[in-house]
Amino acid sequence: MKIKSTQDERIAKMLFASVYHHYVAKVVKKGRTKEELHRVIQWLTGFDDVTLQHQIDEKVTFEIFFDQANLNSNATLITGVICGYRVEEIKNQLTRKVRYLDKIVDELAKGKKIEKIMRRSE
């Protein structure tokens, strides 16, 4: 699926910290914890709590956030629709990574087990 390059650029320049607080609010509202959120973010990015907090404090963009991340090799197993787009069809690599993050946050908020969110290749 093709997403307009202006949208890709907007996503790249968006501050991770500005979205992170929405992620926390979303999962907590649905009965999950900030620690569970951190666990799935760590699975996706390789960031421990200290590194994640540093990303927030430094107000890095999504572009920098994912440049510094060590994306989990099983992230490509994340599929489905998020924000009206099929994740696996998004051409822009950064936008796809951001949507991977959006998707696992959605799954956490919807009550999916963490073990299922952290895809394992069988």
Side-chain angles (χ1 to χ4, degrees):
M1 168 144 307
K2 184 169 172 60
I3 299 176
K4 296 177 185 173
S5 63
T6 55
Q7 183 178 359
D8 293 331
E9 292 166 10
R10 184 180 58 80
I11 289 170
K13 292 180 173 124
M14 193 177 301
L15 300 180
F16 171 74
S18 68
V19 178
Y20 169 78
H21 298 292
H22 294 289
Y23 291 155
V24 173
K26 181 177 191 168
V27 300
V28 169
K29 179 180 174 185
K30 296 292 188 168
R32 301 307 286 260
T33 65
K34 183 177 174 181
E35 291 74 23
E36 289 174 308
L37 174 64
H38 282 206
R39 189 167 169 204
V40 298
I41 291 174
Q42 181 176 358
W43 170 82
L44 181 65
T45 65
F47 294 146
D48 60 17
D49 286 340
V50 172
T51 307
L52 183 60
Q53 189 59 52
H54 178 75
Q55 299 291 328
I56 295 164
D57 293 343
E58 291 298 313
K59 297 183 177 15
V60 300
T61 62
F62 271 114
E63 183 172 29
I64 293 169
F65 180 84
F66 280 106
D67 278 349
Q68 295 178 357
N70 182 16
L71 200 69
N72 189 293
S73 60
N74 286 343
T76 57
L77 300 175
I78 300 170
T79 60
V81 177
I82 188 75
C83 300
Y85 297 99
R86 291 210 64 80
V87 175
E88 61 273 22
E89 294 176 1
I90 297 172
K91 299 293 182 214
N92 181 282
Q93 292 301 309
L94 176 60
T95 300
R96 182 182 298 172
K97 292 173 186 176
V98 173
R99 296 305 182 206
Y100 285 158
L101 179 57
D102 291 341
K103 184 70 174 169
I104 64 173
V105 170
D106 266 9
E107 291 174 346
L108 183 64
K110 289 179 180 178
K112 192 170 189 177
K113 291 182 179 183
I114 290 180
E115 293 73 23
K116 296 282 187 184
I117 294 170
M118 298 187 304
R119 277 99 170 143
R120 310 266 192 252
S121 54
E122 274 33 273

